[in-house]
Structures are given as structure tokens and as C-alpha cells.
């Protein structure tokens, strides 16, 4: 919505030449942030530098640092580190970054206004795939549209931002349950139409598409790879035969799949957490097994070389990122959670592919008394049946601290306790709800009446209404008109005025006590037209259609089943092929040329037998490990190139001014700006006593009623309230006006400083110009608001019509 307002109204509807609009759109940048993000202004400046350097750049993102406490935060610190060091750096160097995260990214206005970017981004999902691709990862979906339209997306490692990440296991799994399917869906979308994307986007090439295809194949085969790794770890650590290791590992995986199919999400997360803890202990044993295998096979064995390659690349990357070197120790947590994150998490995400809710945006529905009663009645009807008769033999209703049931046929309860009846509590809650509704209906008319009295009073009346005397009258009025019927009978004119409120001229919120001191302004007729079209096209509530929702649910379940079948068959074929080849290494193998051992046998006096023992590797496993090694090598080289670019960027944006004075470097305009900021800060300071009551003691004595000057005290109190600044804005206005009218105070404040005096004069002229311009446009805006109100009924009869070009952009 804010993008449409800033780009569609503030830019496209300006009465300026088209060439000027084009230039403004090209140099208009929108910073996307999360509510919990923390960053410094220099981080945004670095992103703006990237935008100024390349006009084809549609979006730029920075280095995201997760913060928090706990094991899950440690895991994410290392995961984010290697993701930015290797993956984003590689995408930046050989192509484009596929996802500019919405928590901290800068977007170019021209790119967002391009054909089929915002128009397609705001479309409502209608197909099952759209729910996954559009709604589960909006930032990645927007970047996909930018890439398909020919824009570039870059990554700046020097632009740092901090964000709070999930600290609990369930919260983390729920977040990744959205990210994993949306990532795969958007990459599939790019790869399926890669030829058109390559023609449209000059930064995407065939090698880059091949690199992304290798990553996609690795992601699909990730669960099978981790499963085979666990079989080898069991065999090396516990000296168990391969087939027994296969059975030991297939049982927990099958159990988790069964749980994900037939239980709720909470149960799935609980089982996943238990299995993750077990796998973490197994991974500790794997470390010992790897050391033993290195000792047996030697340091030139494939497993040893691969381990040294991965660990060495991580250490070198940490050294090249000195400020982030502390992320490396968290790699231990990352290592022991590999089975959980690359096996269980993938299974959990696929099994819940049909769940399109975010899991963090849903509002907990209030449990009203009517719903409680309905639940109790339903429970009572259940107990009247056969199961209720069987339960009655046990001596009353019971519940357990831990319960396990299967399709309602039987229930196992542990640590049972009797259940107390809740009907009396339900009745009490229902009565309290009725009382609360009556109180709300009694208070609402009086509040509207008082607000209307304030609106139709004069300026003097508004000031008197703030005095303590009239505040007492308002309190008495609220108590007097508690009954709605009495308000109708005694004040019919006030109610008639309340009913004639217009949201364009005198909405109810304008009489809010917290807003009464603010300046009143009116929207122009053009802006009102924009918001009307905005509401007609995008802000109208979606009508619920039970049949459509049921159909969407069925299609999402069908999409989930197809995805699960595809992943299961691909990984099953891969696991079976590798497992059988491992058992037939004596027949089908590839000889590893490095690290061979020799056996010498003496026969007789001079006969010597020399036998060479080489490692035998299965072909498919060697090919898969080789592809992974190629990917890691590409990422490492691209990381080095990106580090050089980041160093150059930091060096170019660093101001070295230790050899010159500040006054000699700063330009004249910058000096005026500096002086202006200093003057504004001085005038904004609240003096002692401003914003607080003076605490004047009463000058009357107890019992001296005849001599009490009540009216004079009220007037003095009222003047004191309005002369006292309420905030720094009011203090600035009063101090600026007083200083502008008094040359003596200017001499005292500036003390002969010519730059400060000239700056103040420029501020005074600028302020006078803005005030005159604002005063001249107030009447036009008021007339525009009234005209918009008079034409609203005619527009409703004609239906939605769109005059803003952004609402009439071509949609797919």
C-alpha cells in the first residue's frame, strides 16, 4: 500500500513533465524493513552507492546478522554467515542475487513501477502453486519478478543490519516451513523459463543457470545424502553391518513421516525435537568415527581431503571477515544439527506444504462463552453414546497429563485426575460479557456528544474546555447521560449533529484528546481520488467463499502429495543405488589413485611379493561428492572476488580528513546546513518549567469563600496551560517566533557569528514562504474534500473507475 502511495500518487500524479517523472522514479528508493531491525545510517548509504553506480540495479540487500540467545540462535549465526559469505557472494559475482530479504533491502522506484512487477506482485493467489510461491516468501517473489524484467539484484557485505531471529525450536521450524517451499518454487519458476530470462536479463547467463541447477539437484537429494551419511557414520562408529545400519536409520525417518501425516503440528514439532536431540548425540559419535577413518585410510583419502577442504574454506572465509570471525565456533552446533535441518526439516516442510498460514501472524481467537457452551454440549452428547457408557463405568470423567489416542477407538491416559464441571463458570462468563456490552453502549453516546461539543465550539471555548472547571463539568455530564434513552429525549440536536459526521471533513478521531493539539489539514481532491481507487482495487475485504476454500484446500493437499511422491521416489532411487553399490565395491568401483598402501610378502630366501592396496569408491557417490566439491570451489573463488569488491567499496566511501580542517573541507551549503541544525536544536530545547505545572500554591484560605477569586484563577490557569509548550515542536514554534521578532535576542544568541545569523534569516524566509503556501492551499483542499463528498454517491452507482495509471497497468 505504501509503495502505491509513494510511487503512484506522490510521483505519477505530479504535474511535471514525463522526463522529470522518469528521472525521479529512477532516483527514488524505498527501504524495506522489519519492525525489529537495527542498523546505522551508513548501511543505507552503502546501498544507495550501489544504486547510483548501476542504473539497472533494481534491489540491493545487506549483511543480515541474527541476534538473540540460545542454541537455535547459534545455529542461525553460522548458517547466515556461510550463506552470505559463499552463496550470496557467488550469486552477486556470477549473476544476480535471487532473494533480497524484506527485513533490510533497498528497492528502486522505477523497477517497482515496471511492467508486471507491482501489478503481478499484488495479484491474489488462485492456484495451489501460487499460494506457496506468492504468499510464503514475498521478498523472494518480488526479486523473481525483478529478475524476469531484466533488473539486477546485488549484495553489499559492508551494509550491516541486526535482526531478531527465532529462539525456539518450534518457531524456527515454522519459519523454515514457509521458506523452504517458497525458495524451491521461485527457483523452479526461474529455471523453467530460463531462456526468456537470459534474453531479458543481461546479468543472467547459461553458466549461472547451470550453477543454480546443480544447487537445486543438491537440495532435492539432500535428505537422501544425509541418510546415507548416517548409515556410514553408524558403520564406522559402532561397527554395525551396513544392512543393520540401514534398518536402524529407516525406522526413525519412517516414524517421523507417519507422525507428520496423521498428527497435528505441535505433535510433529515435539517428535522432531526429540529426534533432533538423538541425532545430535549420534553426530558426536560421528566425529570420533571420522577421526578413526582418517587414521585408517590416511590424509589423502577422499573423505579426509573433503573434510579438510570444507573446514579450510570456512576458516579462511572467517579470517577474511574479521568482524564476523566469532561465528565460526557456532559451527559445532551447526554440525551436530545437520540431520535435523537437512532431513527432518525437509520432511516437515513437505508434509505441511498444504498449510499456507504463516504460523506467526494468526491472532488467537477469543474463547467466548457461547463457544465454551457449544464445546460442553458436544462433549455431553458424546458421553451419552456407547463411549460415554463405557466411560461411566470408570467412576466419572477424567483427564490425563499425557494422553495418546488412535482415531477415537481407544485412549491411553497417564497420571489421570478428575475433571471439574465448568457450567457455573460458563454462566458467570456469559453474564460478565453482557454487562460489558451494556457498559460499552452506555459510554459511547456520551463520548460522541462531548466530542461534538468540542468540535462546534469556538477557539475560546476550546481553551476554556481544557481548564479544570470545565473538565469537572464534562465528568458530571458523563455521569448525567449514562442512559441512552435520556440522551435521545433531552439532546436530540446533538445526536442529529453526531449522525451527520463526514469522515472527509469531521471524522470522529479528530476529537480525540491526544490529537486535539495537532494541526488540522485536508487531503486534496486528487489524493482522495487516489485513495478511493486504491480501496476499490486492493483494500476491499475478500469475501469468503466456503466452496472455493474447500477446493483450494483439496488442490493444496494434492500438490503436497505430488511433491512428496516426487521427493520420495528421487531420494529412494538415489539411496538404494548408492547403498547397493557400497555393498558391491569389490565388483563395481573406481580406484582412488592417492593414498595407496603396499604389502610385501617374503617367500623363500629371495622371492618377494609386492601387493598394492587402493581405495575402492562407488561411481555415483564419487560423482556426487565431486559435484559438491566443484560447487564449493566456485563459491570460494567468488567469495574472494566479492571480498575485494567490498574492500574497494569501503575504501571509496571512507572520508579521510585528518590532514585538513573541517571548515576548509565543508562547502558553503553544508556549513549553512550545519548551522541550521544547531539553531533548530537550540530552539527545540524545553526551558526549565516548560511542559510541567508551576505548582503555584492557592492564595485562599479554608473557609474564605466570599473573597475567593474563582473566575480569575480559572483564567490564569487557562492562560498558563496554553502558553506552556506541550512538546518540542510547540517550544520551537514559540522560540522561533519570539527570536524572529527581537533583534536584541538574535544578537545575544548569535554573538556576532555571521554564518549563524545568515542561516537564521534564510530559515525565517523559508518558513514564511511555506506558511503562506500552506495557507493558500488550505481553502483549495477544503473545497476539494467537499467536492469529493458530493460526488461519492454518483461514483458508487457507476462502480469502480481508475484514473491513476498505476491501477491500470497491464496484468498477466
Amino acid at each position: 500500500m505504501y509503495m502505491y502511495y509513494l510511487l503512484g500518487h506522490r510521483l505519477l500524479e505530479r504535474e511535471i513533465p514525463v522526463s522529470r517523472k522518469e528521472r525521479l522514479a529512477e532516483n527514488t528508493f524505498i527501504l524495506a524493513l522489519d519492525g525489529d531491525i537495527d542498523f546505522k545510517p551508513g548501511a543505507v548509504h552503502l546501498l544507495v552507492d550501489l544504486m547510483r553506480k548501476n542504473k539497472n540495479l533494481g534491489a540491493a540487500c545487506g549483511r543480515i546478522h541474527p541476534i538473540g540467545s540460545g542454541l537455535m540462535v547459534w545455529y542461525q549465526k553460522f548458517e547466515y554467515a556461510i550463506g552470505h559469505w559463499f552463496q550470496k557472494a557467488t550469486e552477486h559475482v556470477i549473476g544476480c542475487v535471487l532473494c533480497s530479504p524484506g527485513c533490510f533491502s533497498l528497492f528502486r522506484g522505477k523497477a517497482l513501477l515496471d511492467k508486471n512487477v507491482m501489478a503481478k506482485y499484488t495479484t491474489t493467489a488462485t492456484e495451489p502453486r501460487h499460494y506457496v510461491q506468492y504468499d510464503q516468501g514475498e521478498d523472494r517473489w518480488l526479486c523473481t519478478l525483478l529478475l524476469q524484467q531484466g533488473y539486477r539484484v546485488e549484495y553489499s557485505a559492508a551494509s550491516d543490519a541486526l535482526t531478531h531471529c527465532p529462539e525456539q525450536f518450534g518457531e524456527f521450524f515454522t519459519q523454515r516451513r514457509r521458506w523452504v517451499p517458497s525458495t524451491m518454487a521461485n527457483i523452479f519458476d526461474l529455471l523453467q523459463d530460463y531462456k526468456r530470462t537470459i534474453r531479458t536479463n543481461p546479468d543472467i547467463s547459461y553458466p549461472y543457470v547451470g550453477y543454480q541447477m546443480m544447487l537445486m539437484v543438491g537440495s532435492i537429494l539432500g535428505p537422501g545424502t544425509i541418510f546415507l551419511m548416517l548409515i556410514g557414520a553408524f558403520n564406522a562408529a559402532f561397527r554395525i553391518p551396513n544392512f543393520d545400519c540401514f534398518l536402524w536409520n529407516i525406522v526413525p525417518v519412517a516414524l517421523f513421516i507417519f507422525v507428520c501425516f496423521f498428527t497435528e503440528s505441535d505433535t510433529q514439532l515435539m517428535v522432531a525435537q526429540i529426534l533432533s536431540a538423538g541425532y545430535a548425540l549420534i553426530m558426536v559419535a560421528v566425529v570420533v568415527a571420522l577421526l578413526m577413518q582418517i587414521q585408517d585410510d590416511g590424509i589423502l583419502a577422499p573423505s579426509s581431503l573433503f573434510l579438510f577442504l570444507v573446514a579450510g574454506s570456512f576458516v579462511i572465509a572467517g579470517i577474511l571477515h574479521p568482524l564476523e570471525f566469532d561465528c565460526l565456533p557456532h559451527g559445532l552446533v551447526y554440525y551436530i544439527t545437520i540431520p535435523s535441518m537437512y532431513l527432518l526439516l525437509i520432511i516437515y516442510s513437505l508434509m505441511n506444504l498444504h498449510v499456507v498460514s504463516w504460523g506467526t501472524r494468526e491472532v488467537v481467537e477469543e474463547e467466548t462463552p457461547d463457544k465454551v457452551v457449544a464445546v460442553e454440549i458436544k462433549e455431553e452428547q458424546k458421553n451419552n453414546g456407547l463411549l460415554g457408557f463405557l466411560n461411566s463405568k470408570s467412576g466419572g470423567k477424567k483427564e490425563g497429563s499425557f494422553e495418546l489416542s488412535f482415531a477415537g477407538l481407544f485412549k491411553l491416559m497417564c497420571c489421570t485426575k478428575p475433571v471439574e464441571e465448568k457450567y457455573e463458570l460458563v454462566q458467570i462468563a456469559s453474564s460478565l460479557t453482557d454487562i460489558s456490552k451494556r457498559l460499552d453502549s452506555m459510554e459511547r453516546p456520551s463520548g460522541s456528544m462531548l466530542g461534538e461539543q468540542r468540535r462546534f465550539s469556538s477557539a475560546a471555548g476550546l481553551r476554556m474546555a481544557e481548564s479544570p472547571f470545565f473538565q469537572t463539568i464534562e465528568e458530571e455530564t458523563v455521569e448525567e447521560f449514562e442512559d441512552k434513552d435520556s440522551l435521545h429525549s433531552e439532546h436530540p440536536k446533538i445526536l442529529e449533529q453526531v449522525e451527520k459526521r463526514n469522515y472527509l471533513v469531521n471524522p470522529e478521531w479528530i476529537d480525540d484528546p491526544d490529537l486535539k493539539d495537532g494541526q488540522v489539514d485536508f487531503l486534496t481532491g486528487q489524493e482522495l481520488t487516489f485513495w478511493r481507487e486504491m480501496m476499490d482495487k486492493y483494500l476491499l475485504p475478500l469475501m469468503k467463499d466456503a466452496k472455493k476454500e474447500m477446493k483450494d484446500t483439496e488442490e493444496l493437499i494434492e500438490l503436497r502429495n505430488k511433491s512428496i511422491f516426487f521427493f520420495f521416489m528421487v531420494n529412494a532411487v538415489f539411496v538404494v543405488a548408492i547403498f547397493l553399490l557400497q555393498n558391491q565395491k569389490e565388483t563395481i568401483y573406481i580406484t582412488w589413485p592417492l593414498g595407496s598402501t603396499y604389502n610385501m610378502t617374503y617367500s623363500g630366501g629371495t622371492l618377494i611379493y609386492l601387493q598394492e592396496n587402493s581405495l575402492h569408491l562407488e561411481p555415483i557417490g564419487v560423482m556426487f561428492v565431486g559435484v559438491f566439491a566443484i560447487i564449493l570451489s566456485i563459491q570460494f573463488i567468488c567469495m574472494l572476488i566479492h571480498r575485494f569488491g567490498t574492500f574497494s567499496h569501503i575504501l571509496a566511501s571512507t572520508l579521510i580528513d585528518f590532514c585538513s580542517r573541517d571548515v576548509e573541507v565543508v562547502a558553503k551549503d553544508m556549513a549553512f546546513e550545519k548551522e541550521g541544525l544547531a539553531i533548530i536544536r537550540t530552539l527545540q530545547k524545553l526551558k526549565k518549567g516548560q511542559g510541567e505545572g508551576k505548582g503555584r500554591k492557592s492564595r485562599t484560605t479554608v473557609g474564605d469563600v466570599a473573597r475567593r477569586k474563582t473566575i480569575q484563577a480559572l483564567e490564569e490557569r487557562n492562560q498558563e496551560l496554553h502558553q506552556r509548550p506541550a512538546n518540542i515542536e510547540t517550544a520551537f514554534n514559540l522560540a522561533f517566533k519570539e527570536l524572529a521578532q527581537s533583534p536584541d535576542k538574535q544578537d545575544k544568541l548569535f554573538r556576532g557569528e555571521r554564518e549563524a545569523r545568515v542561516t537564521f534569516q534564510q530559515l525565517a524566509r523559508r518558513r514564511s514562504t511555506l506558511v503562506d503556501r500552506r495557507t493558500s492551499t488550505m481553502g483549495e483542499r477544503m473545497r476539494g474534500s467537499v467536492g469529493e463528498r458530493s460526488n461519492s454517491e454518483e461514483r458508487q452507482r457507476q462502480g469502480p473507475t481508475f484514473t491513476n495509471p498505476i491501477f491500470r497497468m497491464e496484468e498477466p
Side-chain angles (χ1 to χ4, degrees), residues 154-349:
E154 292 186 356
Y155 158 62
S156 174
S159 179
D160 298 308
L162 306 178
T163 183
H164 289 273
C165 62
E167 298 181 356
Q168 303 298 326
F169 183 88
E171 184 182 1
F172 175 81
F173 260 53
T174 302
Q175 180 194 69
R176 299 308 170 95
R177 191 249 310 157
R178 295 185 291 105
W179 288 8
V180 171
S182 65
T183 299
M184 291 187 174
N186 280 279
I187 295 178
F188 268 126
D189 191 12
L190 280 173
L191 296 180
Q192 286 177 351
D193 199 15
Y194 71 94
K195 293 184 179 180
R196 189 188 69 84
T197 305
I198 291 175
R199 289 195 304 267
T200 305
N201 197 321
D203 294 305
I204 294 181
S205 59
Y206 283 101
Y208 179 73
V209 172
Y211 167 77
Q212 292 295 337
M213 287 183 177
M214 289 191 295
L215 289 181
M216 178 58 64
V217 172
S219 300
I220 295 175
L221 297 178
T225 305
I226 300 302
F227 184 80
L228 291 172
M229 182 203 71
L230 291 174
I231 294 177
F234 270 68
N235 178 264
F238 306 112
R239 303 300 180 182
I240 303 176
N242 283 340
F243 186 75
D244 295 340
C245 295
F246 183 89
L247 295 179
W248 277 101
N249 282 277
I250 198 65
V251 171
V253 174
L255 174 64
F256 186 64
I257 294 176
F258 179 82
V259 169
C260 291
F261 256 120
F262 298 102
T263 62
E264 299 295 332
S265 178
D266 294 339
T267 306
Q268 300 174 25
L269 294 175
M270 181 187 67
V271 175
Q273 193 166 2
I274 295 174
L275 293 177
S276 299
Y279 278 130
L281 297 177
I282 295 174
M283 292 302 293
V284 175
V286 171
V287 176
V288 180
L290 285 175
L291 297 178
M292 295 171 57
Q293 188 173 2
I294 292 175
Q295 184 179 4
D296 295 337
D297 299 339
I299 59 175
L300 296 180
S303 58
S304 304
L305 292 177
F306 189 75
L307 177 63
F308 295 149
L309 174 65
V310 174
S313 62
F314 289 168
V315 173
I316 295 175
I319 295 174
L320 295 177
H321 298 77
L323 298 179
E324 305 171 23
F325 189 81
D326 58 345
C327 295
L328 288 181
H330 302 310
L332 297 176
V333 180
Y334 183 88
Y335 173 76
I336 64 175
T337 55
I338 285 179
S340 174
M341 302 306 169
Y342 290 92
L343 178 61
L344 300 182
L345 179 59
I346 300 299
I347 295 175
Y348 175 76
S349 301

